[in-house]
Amino acid sequence: MSQLAAGSTARAVLPGQRENDRMGHDWVAVLAEVPLFRNLSRRHLKHVASVARVRRYATGTSIVRAGDPGSGFYVLIDGAVRVVPPSGRTRRLKAGDFFGEMALLDESPRSASVVADGEVLTMTISRSAFSKLLKHEPSLTHELLRTLAGRLRAAEKSD
Ligand code: CMP
């Protein structure tokens, strides 16, 4: 599995955590390593943890499916996924990366399927919590846009 440096912290916290539980404060050290959250204070990281849930997926699971409506936003805490669009290049995302933002931002169907490439651990945020976070955390919105700009450049290069 590809990991954040805090992967060991995540594994230490996991045994006491039931599937789909809210993350809680134990996860703050793990979230602090996620590039998307890098400018958030400890207080804001605690808030993110309080609205997020932990999900684990077996290898080969379609975490989101192209064409489905979007209900959540995901950050990869441990492991890697393949992003498989209906046409075009497959991409790989690794621990620390996020996915599932597009359908929430433009209220359109999922643009690609996202498939677990090995065992995967995610944090998931509901559509409404995601939209509240973006409204109240400008630094998070900025990081999200930065990554989207990079993804657009990469997609244009591979056209
Ligand atoms: P969404 O459309 O909600 O669901 C599929 C997700 O795959 C999408 O959001 C993005 O997070 C991700 N995705 C789609 N295209 C790319 C790409 N070219 N590079 C990286 N991630 C992508």
Side-chain angles (χ1 to χ4, degrees), residues 73-139:
F73 170 72
Y74 300 80
V75 177
L76 260 172
I77 297 296
D78 207 8
V81 295
R82 278 177 293 118
V83 176
V84 188
S87 62
R89 238 187 82 192
T90 293
R91 287 163 203 280
R92 198 159 187 271
L93 301 179
K94 58 182 186 349
D97 291 336
F98 63 79
F99 60 92
E101 76 295 343
M102 287 174 63
L104 304 189
L105 290 170
D106 68 0
E107 295 177 9
S108 296
R110 295 293 192 195
S111 60
S113 293
V114 179
V115 182
D117 198 4
E119 217 180 276
V120 158
L121 191 68
T122 66
M123 66 161 272
T124 309
I125 300 178
S126 70
R127 169 192 283 275
S128 61
F130 177 70
S131 122
K132 276 186 206 149
L133 274 179
L134 292 190
K135 275 191 193 120
H136 296 115
E137 306 285 0
S139 70

Short mmCIF file of all heavy atoms in Angstrom, two decimals, residues 73-139:
data_model
loop_
_atom_site.label_atom_id
_atom_site.label_comp_id
_atom_site.label_asym_id
_atom_site.label_seq_id
_atom_site.Cartn_x
_atom_site.Cartn_y
_atom_site.Cartn_z
N PHE A 73 -17.23 13.17 -1.12
CA PHE A 73 -15.87 13.57 -1.50
C PHE A 73 -14.91 12.67 -0.74
O PHE A 73 -15.17 12.33 0.43
CB PHE A 73 -15.67 15.04 -1.10
CG PHE A 73 -14.26 15.53 -1.21
CD1 PHE A 73 -13.68 15.75 -2.44
CD2 PHE A 73 -13.51 15.78 -0.06
CE1 PHE A 73 -12.37 16.20 -2.54
CE2 PHE A 73 -12.21 16.25 -0.15
CZ PHE A 73 -11.64 16.46 -1.39
N TYR A 74 -13.81 12.27 -1.36
CA TYR A 74 -12.91 11.28 -0.77
C TYR A 74 -11.47 11.79 -0.71
O TYR A 74 -11.00 12.40 -1.67
CB TYR A 74 -12.89 10.01 -1.62
CG TYR A 74 -14.24 9.34 -1.77
CD1 TYR A 74 -15.17 9.82 -2.69
CD2 TYR A 74 -14.58 8.23 -1.00
CE1 TYR A 74 -16.41 9.21 -2.83
CE2 TYR A 74 -15.83 7.62 -1.13
CZ TYR A 74 -16.74 8.12 -2.04
OH TYR A 74 -17.96 7.53 -2.17
N VAL A 75 -10.79 11.48 0.38
CA VAL A 75 -9.34 11.67 0.45
C VAL A 75 -8.73 10.31 0.73
O VAL A 75 -9.19 9.58 1.62
CB VAL A 75 -8.95 12.66 1.57
CG1 VAL A 75 -7.43 12.77 1.67
CG2 VAL A 75 -9.57 14.03 1.32
N LEU A 76 -7.72 9.96 -0.07
CA LEU A 76 -7.06 8.66 0.10
C LEU A 76 -6.10 8.74 1.27
O LEU A 76 -5.12 9.49 1.23
CB LEU A 76 -6.24 8.37 -1.15
CG LEU A 76 -6.83 7.43 -2.19
CD1 LEU A 76 -5.93 7.45 -3.43
CD2 LEU A 76 -6.96 6.03 -1.65
N ILE A 77 -6.37 7.97 2.31
CA ILE A 77 -5.50 7.97 3.49
C ILE A 77 -4.41 6.91 3.34
O ILE A 77 -3.27 7.09 3.75
CB ILE A 77 -6.33 7.68 4.76
CG1 ILE A 77 -7.37 8.79 4.98
CG2 ILE A 77 -5.45 7.52 6.00
CD1 ILE A 77 -6.79 10.15 5.26
N ASP A 78 -4.76 5.81 2.73
CA ASP A 78 -3.80 4.71 2.57
C ASP A 78 -4.16 3.93 1.31
O ASP A 78 -5.35 3.70 1.05
CB ASP A 78 -3.88 3.79 3.81
CG ASP A 78 -2.57 3.07 4.07
OD1 ASP A 78 -1.57 3.38 3.40
OD2 ASP A 78 -2.56 2.18 4.94
N GLY A 79 -3.14 3.54 0.54
CA GLY A 79 -3.39 2.77 -0.67
C GLY A 79 -3.46 3.65 -1.91
O GLY A 79 -3.13 4.84 -1.85
N ALA A 80 -3.89 3.06 -3.03
CA ALA A 80 -3.93 3.77 -4.31
C ALA A 80 -5.20 3.38 -5.07
O ALA A 80 -5.80 2.33 -4.80
CB ALA A 80 -2.69 3.42 -5.14
N VAL A 81 -5.62 4.26 -6.00
CA VAL A 81 -6.80 3.97 -6.82
C VAL A 81 -6.47 4.26 -8.29
O VAL A 81 -5.54 5.00 -8.58
CB VAL A 81 -8.02 4.85 -6.42
CG1 VAL A 81 -8.50 4.53 -5.02
CG2 VAL A 81 -7.71 6.34 -6.56
N ARG A 82 -7.28 3.65 -9.17
CA ARG A 82 -7.21 3.98 -10.59
C ARG A 82 -8.44 4.80 -10.95
O ARG A 82 -9.55 4.44 -10.57
CB ARG A 82 -7.18 2.70 -11.45
CG ARG A 82 -5.79 2.09 -11.55
CD ARG A 82 -5.80 0.80 -12.34
NE ARG A 82 -6.53 -0.24 -11.63
CZ ARG A 82 -7.64 -0.83 -12.09
NH1 ARG A 82 -8.13 -0.48 -13.26
NH2 ARG A 82 -8.24 -1.77 -11.39
N VAL A 83 -8.22 5.91 -11.65
CA VAL A 83 -9.33 6.73 -12.15
C VAL A 83 -9.55 6.30 -13.59
O VAL A 83 -8.66 6.44 -14.43
CB VAL A 83 -8.98 8.24 -12.08
CG1 VAL A 83 -10.09 9.08 -12.71
CG2 VAL A 83 -8.72 8.66 -10.65
N VAL A 84 -10.74 5.74 -13.88
CA VAL A 84 -11.00 5.17 -15.21
C VAL A 84 -12.15 5.94 -15.86
O VAL A 84 -13.32 5.72 -15.53
CB VAL A 84 -11.38 3.66 -15.10
CG1 VAL A 84 -11.47 3.03 -16.47
CG2 VAL A 84 -10.40 2.92 -14.20
N PRO A 85 -11.82 6.87 -16.78
CA PRO A 85 -12.89 7.63 -17.44
C PRO A 85 -13.55 6.76 -18.53
O PRO A 85 -12.96 5.78 -18.97
CB PRO A 85 -12.15 8.82 -18.06
CG PRO A 85 -10.74 8.37 -18.22
CD PRO A 85 -10.48 7.26 -17.24
N PRO A 86 -14.78 7.12 -18.96
CA PRO A 86 -15.44 6.33 -20.01
C PRO A 86 -14.59 6.24 -21.27
O PRO A 86 -14.62 5.24 -21.98
CB PRO A 86 -16.74 7.11 -20.28
CG PRO A 86 -16.97 7.91 -19.04
CD PRO A 86 -15.62 8.22 -18.48
N SER A 87 -13.83 7.29 -21.58
CA SER A 87 -12.85 7.17 -22.67
C SER A 87 -11.62 7.96 -22.25
O SER A 87 -11.73 8.89 -21.45
CB SER A 87 -13.43 7.75 -23.97
OG SER A 87 -13.69 9.11 -23.79
N GLY A 88 -10.50 7.57 -22.80
CA GLY A 88 -9.25 8.29 -22.45
C GLY A 88 -8.44 7.54 -21.43
O GLY A 88 -8.75 6.41 -21.06
N ARG A 89 -7.41 8.22 -21.00
CA ARG A 89 -6.34 7.60 -20.18
C ARG A 89 -6.76 7.31 -18.75
O ARG A 89 -7.41 8.14 -18.11
CB ARG A 89 -5.18 8.60 -20.13
CG ARG A 89 -3.88 8.05 -20.64
CD ARG A 89 -2.78 9.05 -20.39
NE ARG A 89 -2.28 8.96 -19.02
CZ ARG A 89 -1.48 9.85 -18.47
NH1 ARG A 89 -1.12 10.92 -19.13
NH2 ARG A 89 -1.05 9.67 -17.24
N THR A 90 -6.33 6.16 -18.25
CA THR A 90 -6.50 5.85 -16.83
C THR A 90 -5.39 6.55 -16.05
O THR A 90 -4.25 6.62 -16.51
CB THR A 90 -6.40 4.33 -16.63
OG1 THR A 90 -7.53 3.73 -17.26
CG2 THR A 90 -6.40 3.95 -15.16
N ARG A 91 -5.75 7.08 -14.88
CA ARG A 91 -4.74 7.73 -14.03
C ARG A 91 -4.71 7.05 -12.68
O ARG A 91 -5.67 6.38 -12.30
CB ARG A 91 -5.07 9.21 -13.84
CG ARG A 91 -4.80 9.97 -15.09
CD ARG A 91 -5.47 11.31 -15.11
NE ARG A 91 -5.64 11.72 -16.50
CZ ARG A 91 -4.67 12.25 -17.24
NH1 ARG A 91 -3.49 12.47 -16.74
NH2 ARG A 91 -4.90 12.59 -18.49
N ARG A 92 -3.59 7.24 -11.99
CA ARG A 92 -3.45 6.61 -10.67
C ARG A 92 -3.33 7.70 -9.62
O ARG A 92 -2.59 8.67 -9.81
CB ARG A 92 -2.19 5.72 -10.68
CG ARG A 92 -2.16 4.70 -9.58
CD ARG A 92 -1.20 3.57 -9.96
NE ARG A 92 -1.26 2.49 -8.99
CZ ARG A 92 -0.51 2.43 -7.90
NH1 ARG A 92 0.36 3.40 -7.63
NH2 ARG A 92 -0.62 1.42 -7.07
N LEU A 93 -4.09 7.55 -8.54
CA LEU A 93 -3.97 8.48 -7.41
C LEU A 93 -3.46 7.69 -6.22
O LEU A 93 -3.75 6.50 -6.08
CB LEU A 93 -5.33 9.11 -7.08
CG LEU A 93 -6.02 9.90 -8.21
CD1 LEU A 93 -7.38 10.42 -7.73
CD2 LEU A 93 -5.15 11.06 -8.68
N LYS A 94 -2.71 8.37 -5.35
CA LYS A 94 -2.09 7.68 -4.22
C LYS A 94 -2.45 8.38 -2.90
O LYS A 94 -3.10 9.43 -2.92
CB LYS A 94 -0.58 7.60 -4.43
CG LYS A 94 0.03 8.96 -4.59
CD LYS A 94 1.51 8.87 -4.85
CE LYS A 94 2.18 10.24 -4.88
NZ LYS A 94 1.41 11.45 -4.91
N ALA A 95 -1.97 7.80 -1.81
CA ALA A 95 -2.29 8.35 -0.48
C ALA A 95 -1.99 9.85 -0.42
O ALA A 95 -0.93 10.30 -0.87
CB ALA A 95 -1.50 7.62 0.59
N GLY A 96 -2.94 10.61 0.10
CA GLY A 96 -2.80 12.06 0.17
C GLY A 96 -3.58 12.76 -0.93
O GLY A 96 -3.88 13.95 -0.82
N ASP A 97 -3.90 12.03 -2.03
CA ASP A 97 -4.67 12.62 -3.12
C ASP A 97 -6.17 12.58 -2.79
O ASP A 97 -6.59 11.82 -1.92
CB ASP A 97 -4.44 11.85 -4.43
CG ASP A 97 -3.02 12.03 -4.96
OD1 ASP A 97 -2.39 13.04 -4.63
OD2 ASP A 97 -2.54 11.13 -5.70
N PHE A 98 -6.95 13.36 -3.52
CA PHE A 98 -8.41 13.34 -3.32
C PHE A 98 -9.13 13.05 -4.62
O PHE A 98 -8.56 13.19 -5.71
CB PHE A 98 -8.88 14.69 -2.73
CG PHE A 98 -8.64 15.88 -3.61
CD1 PHE A 98 -9.50 16.15 -4.67
CD2 PHE A 98 -7.55 16.73 -3.40
CE1 PHE A 98 -9.28 17.25 -5.49
CE2 PHE A 98 -7.33 17.83 -4.21
CZ PHE A 98 -8.20 18.08 -5.27
N PHE A 99 -10.38 12.65 -4.52
CA PHE A 99 -11.22 12.47 -5.71
C PHE A 99 -12.70 12.62 -5.32
O PHE A 99 -13.04 12.64 -4.14
CB PHE A 99 -10.96 11.10 -6.38
CG PHE A 99 -11.22 9.91 -5.50
CD1 PHE A 99 -12.46 9.28 -5.49
CD2 PHE A 99 -10.22 9.40 -4.68
CE1 PHE A 99 -12.70 8.19 -4.70
CE2 PHE A 99 -10.45 8.30 -3.86
CZ PHE A 99 -11.70 7.70 -3.87
N GLY A 100 -13.53 12.74 -6.36
CA GLY A 100 -14.97 12.83 -6.13
C GLY A 100 -15.47 14.26 -5.99
O GLY A 100 -16.64 14.49 -5.69
N GLU A 101 -14.57 15.24 -6.22
CA GLU A 101 -14.97 16.65 -6.05
C GLU A 101 -15.79 17.16 -7.24
O GLU A 101 -16.63 18.04 -7.08
CB GLU A 101 -13.72 17.53 -5.85
CG GLU A 101 -12.89 17.85 -7.08
CD GLU A 101 -12.23 16.64 -7.72
OE1 GLU A 101 -12.13 15.60 -7.07
OE2 GLU A 101 -11.82 16.75 -8.89
N MET A 102 -15.53 16.60 -8.45
CA MET A 102 -16.11 17.21 -9.65
C MET A 102 -17.64 17.16 -9.65
O MET A 102 -18.31 18.16 -9.89
CB MET A 102 -15.54 16.53 -10.91
CG MET A 102 -14.10 16.92 -11.19
SD MET A 102 -13.34 16.00 -12.55
CE MET A 102 -14.34 16.49 -13.92
N ALA A 103 -18.19 15.99 -9.39
CA ALA A 103 -19.66 15.84 -9.42
C ALA A 103 -20.32 16.70 -8.35
O ALA A 103 -21.46 17.13 -8.51
CB ALA A 103 -20.03 14.37 -9.23
N LEU A 104 -19.60 16.97 -7.26
CA LEU A 104 -20.17 17.81 -6.21
C LEU A 104 -20.11 19.28 -6.61
O LEU A 104 -21.02 20.05 -6.32
CB LEU A 104 -19.44 17.60 -4.88
CG LEU A 104 -19.37 16.17 -4.35
CD1 LEU A 104 -18.82 16.16 -2.94
CD2 LEU A 104 -20.72 15.49 -4.40
N LEU A 105 -19.02 19.64 -7.29
CA LEU A 105 -18.85 21.06 -7.65
C LEU A 105 -19.79 21.47 -8.78
O LEU A 105 -20.36 22.56 -8.74
CB LEU A 105 -17.40 21.33 -8.07
CG LEU A 105 -16.36 21.27 -6.93
CD1 LEU A 105 -14.94 21.31 -7.50
CD2 LEU A 105 -16.57 22.42 -5.96
N ASP A 106 -19.96 20.59 -9.80
CA ASP A 106 -20.79 21.03 -10.94
C ASP A 106 -22.15 20.32 -10.99
O ASP A 106 -22.89 20.46 -11.96
CB ASP A 106 -20.03 20.91 -12.27
CG ASP A 106 -19.75 19.47 -12.68
OD1 ASP A 106 -20.14 18.55 -11.94
OD2 ASP A 106 -19.15 19.28 -13.75
N GLU A 107 -22.45 19.55 -9.94
CA GLU A 107 -23.74 18.87 -9.84
C GLU A 107 -24.08 18.09 -11.10
O GLU A 107 -25.21 18.11 -11.60
CB GLU A 107 -24.84 19.88 -9.48
CG GLU A 107 -24.59 20.44 -8.09
CD GLU A 107 -25.58 21.51 -7.67
OE1 GLU A 107 -26.56 21.71 -8.38
OE2 GLU A 107 -25.34 22.13 -6.63
N SER A 108 -23.06 17.40 -11.62
CA SER A 108 -23.21 16.54 -12.79
C SER A 108 -22.80 15.13 -12.39
O SER A 108 -22.24 14.93 -11.30
CB SER A 108 -22.32 17.05 -13.93
OG SER A 108 -22.75 18.32 -14.33
N PRO A 109 -23.09 14.13 -13.27
CA PRO A 109 -22.71 12.75 -12.90
C PRO A 109 -21.19 12.59 -12.73
O PRO A 109 -20.41 13.40 -13.25
CB PRO A 109 -23.22 11.92 -14.09
CG PRO A 109 -24.26 12.76 -14.73
CD PRO A 109 -23.84 14.19 -14.53
N ARG A 110 -20.81 11.53 -12.03
CA ARG A 110 -19.38 11.20 -11.88
C ARG A 110 -18.71 11.11 -13.25
O ARG A 110 -19.24 10.46 -14.16
CB ARG A 110 -19.23 9.84 -11.17
CG ARG A 110 -19.73 9.81 -9.73
CD ARG A 110 -18.91 10.65 -8.83
NE ARG A 110 -19.20 10.41 -7.42
CZ ARG A 110 -18.81 11.22 -6.44
NH1 ARG A 110 -18.15 12.33 -6.72
NH2 ARG A 110 -19.09 10.93 -5.19
N SER A 111 -17.55 11.76 -13.38
CA SER A 111 -16.86 11.83 -14.67
C SER A 111 -16.07 10.56 -14.98
O SER A 111 -15.67 10.34 -16.12
CB SER A 111 -15.88 13.01 -14.65
OG SER A 111 -14.94 12.82 -13.60
N ALA A 112 -15.83 9.73 -13.98
CA ALA A 112 -14.98 8.55 -14.15
C ALA A 112 -15.32 7.56 -13.04
O ALA A 112 -15.93 7.94 -12.03
CB ALA A 112 -13.50 8.95 -14.06
N SER A 113 -14.95 6.31 -13.25
CA SER A 113 -15.01 5.35 -12.14
C SER A 113 -13.69 5.43 -11.38
O SER A 113 -12.64 5.73 -11.98
CB SER A 113 -15.21 3.92 -12.66
OG SER A 113 -16.48 3.81 -13.26
N VAL A 114 -13.75 5.18 -10.09
CA VAL A 114 -12.52 5.17 -9.29
C VAL A 114 -12.46 3.81 -8.59
O VAL A 114 -13.37 3.45 -7.84
CB VAL A 114 -12.51 6.33 -8.26
CG1 VAL A 114 -11.25 6.29 -7.42
CG2 VAL A 114 -12.63 7.68 -8.98
N VAL A 115 -11.41 3.06 -8.90
CA VAL A 115 -11.34 1.65 -8.51
C VAL A 115 -10.14 1.43 -7.57
O VAL A 115 -9.03 1.91 -7.84
CB VAL A 115 -11.17 0.76 -9.78
CG1 VAL A 115 -11.14 -0.71 -9.41
CG2 VAL A 115 -12.29 1.04 -10.77
N ALA A 116 -10.40 0.71 -6.47
CA ALA A 116 -9.33 0.44 -5.50
C ALA A 116 -8.24 -0.43 -6.14
O ALA A 116 -8.52 -1.50 -6.66
CB ALA A 116 -9.91 -0.26 -4.27
N ASP A 117 -7.00 0.05 -6.07
CA ASP A 117 -5.85 -0.66 -6.64
C ASP A 117 -5.09 -1.25 -5.45
O ASP A 117 -4.11 -0.67 -5.01
CB ASP A 117 -5.01 0.36 -7.42
CG ASP A 117 -4.06 -0.28 -8.39
OD1 ASP A 117 -4.10 -1.52 -8.52
OD2 ASP A 117 -3.28 0.45 -9.02
N GLY A 118 -5.56 -2.34 -4.91
CA GLY A 118 -5.09 -2.84 -3.62
C GLY A 118 -6.07 -2.40 -2.55
O GLY A 118 -7.09 -1.76 -2.86
N GLU A 119 -5.77 -2.75 -1.30
CA GLU A 119 -6.66 -2.33 -0.21
C GLU A 119 -6.55 -0.82 -0.01
O GLU A 119 -5.44 -0.28 -0.09
CB GLU A 119 -6.26 -3.05 1.07
CG GLU A 119 -7.44 -3.44 1.91
CD GLU A 119 -7.01 -4.15 3.15
OE1 GLU A 119 -6.78 -5.38 3.09
OE2 GLU A 119 -6.85 -3.47 4.18
N VAL A 120 -7.67 -0.19 0.24
CA VAL A 120 -7.69 1.28 0.29
C VAL A 120 -8.43 1.77 1.55
O VAL A 120 -9.43 1.19 1.94
CB VAL A 120 -8.39 1.81 -0.99
CG1 VAL A 120 -8.92 3.21 -0.80
CG2 VAL A 120 -7.45 1.77 -2.17
N LEU A 121 -7.90 2.82 2.12
CA LEU A 121 -8.56 3.48 3.25
C LEU A 121 -8.83 4.93 2.83
O LEU A 121 -7.92 5.61 2.35
CB LEU A 121 -7.61 3.45 4.44
CG LEU A 121 -8.15 3.84 5.79
CD1 LEU A 121 -9.14 2.78 6.28
CD2 LEU A 121 -7.01 3.96 6.80
N THR A 122 -10.08 5.35 2.98
CA THR A 122 -10.40 6.74 2.62
C THR A 122 -11.04 7.46 3.80
O THR A 122 -11.58 6.83 4.70
CB THR A 122 -11.43 6.83 1.47
OG1 THR A 122 -12.69 6.32 1.91
CG2 THR A 122 -10.97 6.09 0.22
N MET A 123 -10.96 8.78 3.74
CA MET A 123 -11.87 9.57 4.56
C MET A 123 -12.91 10.11 3.58
O MET A 123 -12.59 10.49 2.45
CB MET A 123 -11.17 10.70 5.31
CG MET A 123 -10.60 11.78 4.47
SD MET A 123 -10.29 13.28 5.42
CE MET A 123 -11.85 14.11 5.30
N THR A 124 -14.16 10.12 4.01
CA THR A 124 -15.25 10.53 3.13
C THR A 124 -16.01 11.67 3.79
O THR A 124 -16.25 11.63 5.00
CB THR A 124 -16.22 9.36 2.91
OG1 THR A 124 -15.46 8.24 2.52
CG2 THR A 124 -17.23 9.67 1.83
N ILE A 125 -16.37 12.64 2.98
CA ILE A 125 -17.15 13.78 3.47
C ILE A 125 -18.42 13.87 2.62
O ILE A 125 -18.35 13.76 1.39
CB ILE A 125 -16.34 15.09 3.39
CG1 ILE A 125 -15.07 14.98 4.24
CG2 ILE A 125 -17.16 16.28 3.86
CD1 ILE A 125 -14.18 16.21 4.19
N SER A 126 -19.55 14.05 3.24
CA SER A 126 -20.82 14.13 2.50
C SER A 126 -20.84 15.40 1.64
O SER A 126 -20.11 16.36 1.90
CB SER A 126 -22.00 14.16 3.47
OG SER A 126 -22.00 15.40 4.15
N ARG A 127 -21.74 15.39 0.67
CA ARG A 127 -21.89 16.55 -0.22
C ARG A 127 -22.13 17.84 0.58
O ARG A 127 -21.48 18.85 0.34
CB ARG A 127 -23.08 16.29 -1.15
CG ARG A 127 -23.52 17.48 -1.95
CD ARG A 127 -24.87 17.20 -2.58
NE ARG A 127 -24.73 16.32 -3.74
CZ ARG A 127 -24.44 16.77 -4.97
NH1 ARG A 127 -24.26 18.05 -5.19
NH2 ARG A 127 -24.32 15.93 -5.97
N SER A 128 -23.02 17.79 1.57
CA SER A 128 -23.37 19.04 2.28
C SER A 128 -22.20 19.50 3.16
O SER A 128 -21.90 20.70 3.21
CB SER A 128 -24.64 18.87 3.11
OG SER A 128 -24.44 17.88 4.08
N ALA A 129 -21.49 18.55 3.80
CA ALA A 129 -20.34 18.94 4.64
C ALA A 129 -19.22 19.49 3.76
O ALA A 129 -18.54 20.46 4.13
CB ALA A 129 -19.85 17.75 5.46
N PHE A 130 -19.03 18.90 2.56
CA PHE A 130 -18.00 19.37 1.62
C PHE A 130 -18.30 20.81 1.22
O PHE A 130 -17.42 21.67 1.26
CB PHE A 130 -18.00 18.45 0.40
CG PHE A 130 -17.03 18.84 -0.69
CD1 PHE A 130 -15.65 18.72 -0.50
CD2 PHE A 130 -17.50 19.29 -1.92
CE1 PHE A 130 -14.76 19.07 -1.52
CE2 PHE A 130 -16.61 19.64 -2.93
CZ PHE A 130 -15.25 19.52 -2.74
N SER A 131 -19.56 21.08 0.88
CA SER A 131 -19.87 22.43 0.43
C SER A 131 -19.73 23.44 1.58
O SER A 131 -19.24 24.56 1.37
CB SER A 131 -21.24 22.38 -0.27
OG SER A 131 -22.12 23.21 0.30
N LYS A 132 -20.07 23.04 2.80
CA LYS A 132 -19.87 23.95 3.94
C LYS A 132 -18.38 24.21 4.17
O LYS A 132 -17.96 25.33 4.44
CB LYS A 132 -20.47 23.35 5.22
CG LYS A 132 -21.94 23.61 5.34
CD LYS A 132 -22.46 23.11 6.69
CE LYS A 132 -23.94 22.80 6.56
NZ LYS A 132 -24.40 21.73 7.42
N LEU A 133 -17.56 23.13 4.07
CA LEU A 133 -16.12 23.29 4.29
C LEU A 133 -15.53 24.29 3.30
O LEU A 133 -14.72 25.15 3.67
CB LEU A 133 -15.40 21.96 4.12
CG LEU A 133 -15.30 21.03 5.32
CD1 LEU A 133 -14.57 19.76 4.94
CD2 LEU A 133 -14.59 21.72 6.49
N LEU A 134 -15.93 24.16 2.02
CA LEU A 134 -15.37 25.06 1.00
C LEU A 134 -15.77 26.51 1.28
O LEU A 134 -14.98 27.43 1.05
CB LEU A 134 -15.83 24.66 -0.40
CG LEU A 134 -15.29 23.34 -0.94
CD1 LEU A 134 -15.64 23.19 -2.41
CD2 LEU A 134 -13.79 23.22 -0.76
N LYS A 135 -16.98 26.69 1.80
CA LYS A 135 -17.43 28.07 2.09
C LYS A 135 -16.65 28.67 3.25
O LYS A 135 -16.35 29.85 3.26
CB LYS A 135 -18.91 28.06 2.45
CG LYS A 135 -19.76 28.11 1.21
CD LYS A 135 -21.23 28.37 1.55
CE LYS A 135 -22.05 28.09 0.31
NZ LYS A 135 -23.04 27.05 0.48
N HIS A 136 -16.29 27.83 4.24
CA HIS A 136 -15.68 28.36 5.46
C HIS A 136 -14.16 28.25 5.52
O HIS A 136 -13.55 28.80 6.43
CB HIS A 136 -16.32 27.69 6.69
CG HIS A 136 -17.77 28.02 6.80
ND1 HIS A 136 -18.76 27.08 6.68
CD2 HIS A 136 -18.40 29.21 6.96
CE1 HIS A 136 -19.95 27.68 6.78
NE2 HIS A 136 -19.74 28.97 6.96
N GLU A 137 -13.56 27.51 4.58
CA GLU A 137 -12.10 27.30 4.62
C GLU A 137 -11.50 27.74 3.28
O GLU A 137 -11.24 26.90 2.41
CB GLU A 137 -11.77 25.81 4.85
CG GLU A 137 -12.40 25.18 6.06
CD GLU A 137 -11.71 25.61 7.35
OE1 GLU A 137 -10.74 26.40 7.29
OE2 GLU A 137 -12.14 25.15 8.40
N PRO A 138 -11.24 29.04 3.09
CA PRO A 138 -10.70 29.50 1.80
C PRO A 138 -9.38 28.83 1.43
O PRO A 138 -9.12 28.59 0.24
CB PRO A 138 -10.49 31.00 2.00
CG PRO A 138 -11.21 31.35 3.25
CD PRO A 138 -11.44 30.12 4.04
N SER A 139 -8.55 28.46 2.43
CA SER A 139 -7.25 27.86 2.09
C SER A 139 -7.47 26.46 1.51
O SER A 139 -6.71 26.00 0.64
CB SER A 139 -6.33 27.80 3.30
OG SER A 139 -6.81 26.87 4.23
#
